[in-house]
Amino acid sequence: MTLSLEQVTHIAELARLALTDEEKERFRDQLSAILDYAARLQEIDTSAIPPMANVLPVDTVMRDDVARLGLPPEQILANSPDQEDNMFRVPVILE
Amino acid sequence: MTELTELTIHEAYALLKKGELSSVDLTQAYLDRIDVLDGRLHAYLAVTSDETLEQARRADERRAKGEDDPLLGIPVAYKDVLCTQGVETTCGSKILAGYKPPYTATAIDKMEARGAVMLGKTNMDEFAMGSSTENSGYGVTRNPWDTERVPGGSSGGSAAAVAAQMATAALGSDTGGSIRQPASLCGVVGLKPSYGRVSRYGLVAYASSLDQIGPFSRSVADAAVLLGAIAGHDPQDSTSVDMPVPDYIAALTSDLKGVKVGVPKEYFIEGIDPAVERIVRAAIDQLKELGATVQEVSLPHTDMALPVYYLIAPAEASANLARFDGIRYGPREQGDTLWDTYCQTREAGFGPEVKRRIMLGTYALSAGYYDAYYLKAQKVRTLIKQDFDAAFEDVDVIACPASPTTAFRIGEKVDDPLQMYLSDVFTLALNLAGNCGISVPCGFDDDNLPVGLQLVGPAFGEERILRAAHAYEQATEWHKRVPVLSG
């Protein structure tokens, strides 16, 4: 098994997923199988090969700094599960 | 007379232009058919009936005032991964239940500017992750050719809607085959444009370096019109390329004289359905009869595309889907702390395949594993692109199957993610390399299930693949077969 239950628990924390114990076991097995399959990449010598993040050259695009209207606050907040005084309401962060 | 819902864009356009058909009548015919059939097929997540007919009325008015456009008044469907202002857009996910975007995707804006009429939003694998539409949070879509089978995915709703004549055409998105594979399994035309050809603004991101929006249609000429409508630079997407959009219709010819077609030996491998191989090889012989020269080519790193894709796409997905936290939109599972709220909202909102890919991507990007998995995959991605670049020095177009099998049974692969991932083994590499590809109907197996011929072009070589696909389609009758359906 490529992954341990402890590793799966750690990844779930990083990914902000409150997985059940059953899900952790299933993902340990399934992700291990996928990673074992992916191990075939190690057969290829890539020491002289540059990595590719995107097929196109990714350039920073500049535009003129011209003021323009954004969306109105009520439209931005329209989908929010909880709001107050034109703000998103969230649970307490600091006690 | 032909049923109105059987008409292609070009056929409907001819009638609309002559005044023999109104968009309202055409649109109503589709709404009636959706009403009869979609309870069983479930291609749509939402049908926007009233607004749809209002758009059709406006299209008729525009035509009456002298406007003339092949898309004016044509009823189409949009995959639910494309944002539509004020119309619920869920991406097939519970985590976006009730979400109404404050803006519309550029591709849809362009369709609407041309006068296309929106019938509704189509079902899909959650966040476009899947090959069968079984990963939708809102139930599976059924294949119109055999309702016990999947339509493919992730754009299964768009493919099924076009195949079942519940839309003249549709838009989908393709990250690893999500247009071409369902097009193949549903017997319609599906085109994935080159990376950068179509703006991704308003396309909810799955894997940003791979995602592209493209059309489904019942003819290649229709796909050419749709691509022409949605292609082009958009200041809202810095990866949309600023180069002219050609007249794709002008590229279509009835013969293939002088066209060099490459057949990659690595695409006819063990595991491919023998009927698919036989039918696709016969289609390649037909290309030869149309005047093309056919030669073998090699894409040596083909068997690496699947592992590369399933590291890069989940890695990008894990970052892209971090935004879904129940704070600014979507349902919230209130926990004791903010941390708990995040974790419980995401646990409740995402389905199994999305969680699996978020986990896989998070792992591939995590400290200690980044070099071995993510960086390694990015390097092999370079080799996969170099394979295609070398092949396109010798040939104009590459021909191969779009899917290793015809439509499989609902439930057949849901418990084995790796088997499901193999459904995209012939489509993934193109996304990694940024090429364009089209699937065009090329025959049926013994169970009367459609098979698709995939034609691949270099980046921004859409005219080549449209030309080859059109010539093939005009010389064959496959695209004229329709599934037999009753309510």
Side-chain angles (χ1 to χ4, degrees):
Chain A
M1 206 65 76
T2 308
L3 290 180
S4 66
L5 266 186
E6 292 68 34
Q7 280 176 300
V8 171
T9 303
H10 175 62
I11 303 163
E13 279 175 18
L14 293 175
R16 305 289 186 273
L17 289 167
L19 297 183
T20 63
D21 289 345
E22 193 213 328
E23 280 180 313
K24 284 179 191 169
E25 280 182 32
R26 192 163 64 240
F27 285 153
R28 177 195 59 190
D29 298 351
Q30 290 175 339
L31 297 182
S32 291
I34 296 164
L35 291 169
D36 288 346
Y37 184 81
R40 64 179 59 192
L41 293 179
Q42 307 305 329
E43 294 163 16
I44 301 180
D45 178 9
T46 51
S47 50
I49 309 296
M52 183 167 70
N54 198 299
V55 292
L56 301 171
V58 183
D59 300 321
T60 302
V61 180
M62 305 295 275
R63 65 166 171 82
D64 293 335
D65 186 17
V66 181
R68 49 182 182 178
L69 280 178
L71 294 169
E74 53 274 18
Q75 217 169 319
I76 296 290
L77 288 163
N79 284 292
S80 69
D82 199 3
Q83 52 173 285
E84 195 176 304
D85 298 336
N86 257 0
M87 289 180 281
F88 297 104
R89 218 178 116 93
V90 300
V92 173
I93 298 170
L94 298 168
E95 295 291 341
Chain B
M1 153 158 190
T2 320
E3 291 284 335
L4 290 180
T5 55
E6 282 179 33
L7 301 172
T8 62
I9 292 174
H10 281 84
E11 289 163 350
Y13 169 51
L15 296 175
L16 288 162
K17 191 177 170 153
K18 278 189 280 186
E20 291 173 15
L21 176 67
S22 72
S23 175
V24 167
D25 287 347
L26 180 63
T27 302
Q28 189 61 55
Y30 278 107
L31 291 174
D32 292 346
R33 192 169 166 88
I34 291 167
D35 207 34
V36 171
L37 291 181
D38 205 43
R40 194 147 56 97
L41 294 175
H42 193 41
Y44 283 90
L45 289 176
V47 178
T48 46
S49 317
D50 293 346
E51 172 60 21
T52 301
L53 284 169
E54 183 50 41
Q55 286 186 6
R57 270 190 287 274
R58 282 202 296 273
D60 284 334
E61 281 166 22
R62 281 166 66 173
R63 180 156 268 124
K65 285 182 189 150
E67 226 181 293
D68 181 30
D69 190 299
L71 291 176
L72 184 58
I74 301 294
V76 297
Y78 300 122
K79 186 180 184 180
D80 206 32
V81 73
L82 294 163
C83 285
T84 41
Q85 185 181 355
V87 176
E88 188 178 8
T89 300
T90 66
C91 301
S93 182
K94 295 284 188 201
I95 210 162
L96 280 174
Y99 176 69
K100 291 182 177 171
Y103 62 93
T104 296
T106 297
I108 294 181
D109 266 342
K110 289 184 165 201
M111 291 287 288
E112 294 191 336
R114 299 279 298 268
V117 172
M118 175 168 77
L119 288 162
K121 306 295 290 288
T122 54
N123 199 12
M124 55 183 285
D125 285 301
E126 185 178 4
F127 287 110
M129 299 182 195
S131 313
S132 68
T133 316
E134 289 166 293
N135 296 332
S136 168
Y138 302 96
V140 65
T141 296
R142 293 174 181 273
N143 190 311
W145 293 91
D146 177 348
T147 55
E148 297 305 308
R149 293 174 188 268
V150 303
S154 66
S155 311
S158 286
V162 173
Q165 298 165 28
M166 296 194 295
T168 315
L171 294 185
S173 66
D174 189 316
T175 305
S178 284
I179 290 174
R180 292 157 288 151
Q181 185 258 15
S184 174
L185 269 50
C186 288
V188 296
V189 175
L191 186 151
K192 185 205 89 76
S194 312
Y195 186 80
R197 183 71 283 186
V198 178
S199 166
R200 293 179 295 108
Y201 181 70
L203 168 70
V204 179
Y206 157 26
S208 309
S209 80
L210 306 168
D211 298 338
Q212 268 294 292
I213 300 166
F216 288 91
S217 58
R218 292 197 292 267
S219 81
V220 175
D222 283 3
V225 166
L226 293 160
L227 179 63
I230 62 175
H233 177 62
D234 175 11
Q236 302 276 31
D237 174 7
S238 64
T239 63
S240 67
V241 174
D242 195 1
M243 57 192 283
V245 178
D247 179 352
Y248 292 113
I249 289 289
L252 307 181
T253 58
S254 55
D255 70 70
L256 294 178
K257 286 194 186 74
V259 175
K260 285 189 269 183
V261 175
V263 179
K265 57 183 180 194
E266 294 85 359
Y267 278 61
F268 293 89
I269 43 157
E270 214 178 312
I272 182 173
D273 180 340
V276 170
E277 170 158 6
R278 174 174 50 77
I279 289 164
V280 169
R281 286 203 185 275
I284 292 168
D285 287 343
Q286 180 89 42
L287 298 176
K288 217 183 295 181
E289 280 173 34
L290 289 162
T293 55
V294 175
Q295 67 186 81
E296 190 178 90
V297 291
S298 179
L299 300 167
H301 297 93
T302 294
D303 62 339
M304 295 296 158
L306 190 79
V308 167
Y309 178 88
Y310 278 100
L311 292 168
I312 288 176
E316 294 187 20
S318 72
N320 276 326
L321 272 63
R323 74 191 63 172
F324 301 110
D325 56 8
I327 301 300
R328 289 151 301 157
Y329 43 76
R332 181 188 297 177
E333 293 289 322
Q334 193 80 48
D336 292 339
T337 63
L338 186 63
W339 175 281
D340 288 342
T341 301
Y342 290 152
C343 295
Q344 288 168 22
T345 296
R346 291 162 63 78
E347 171 67 8
F350 291 136
E353 182 62 29
V354 171
K355 287 183 202 170
R356 193 151 41 234
R357 293 197 199 183
I358 289 174
M359 292 284 290
L360 189 56
T362 303
Y363 178 71
L365 291 175
S366 66
Y369 302 98
Y370 181 94
D371 286 2
Y373 290 108
Y374 184 63
L375 191 63
K376 184 76 183 183
Q378 284 192 318
K379 289 177 177 175
V380 181
R381 183 178 182 182
T382 302
L383 294 171
I384 290 168
K385 182 169 189 303
Q386 287 173 355
D387 284 355
F388 278 104
D389 291 348
F392 283 120
E393 281 180 18
D394 295 331
V395 297
D396 302 307
V397 173
I398 289 172
C400 58
S403 163
T405 66
T406 52
F408 44 93
R409 289 184 185 284
I410 291 169
E412 192 178 322
K413 298 182 182 182
V414 281
D415 294 326
D416 190 343
L418 206 47
Q419 277 307 311
M420 188 69 91
Y421 296 171
L422 284 164
S423 307
D424 293 327
V425 69
F426 296 146
T427 48
L428 300 165
L430 271 72
N431 299 74
L432 293 167
N435 299 333
C436 56
I438 190 169
S439 178
V440 59
C442 73
F444 289 79
D445 72 1
D446 294 342
D447 294 320
N448 197 37
L449 296 170
V451 174
L453 168 68
Q454 181 175 216
L455 296 161
V456 183
F460 303 98
E462 279 83 358
E463 288 163 286
R464 297 185 194 180
I465 59 172
L466 284 164
R467 179 187 172 192
H470 174 77
Y472 174 79
E473 177 193 74
Q474 294 306 302
T476 58
E477 297 282 316
W478 308 116
H479 62 290
K480 292 183 180 163
R481 282 210 208 171
V482 292
V484 180
L485 285 158
S486 55

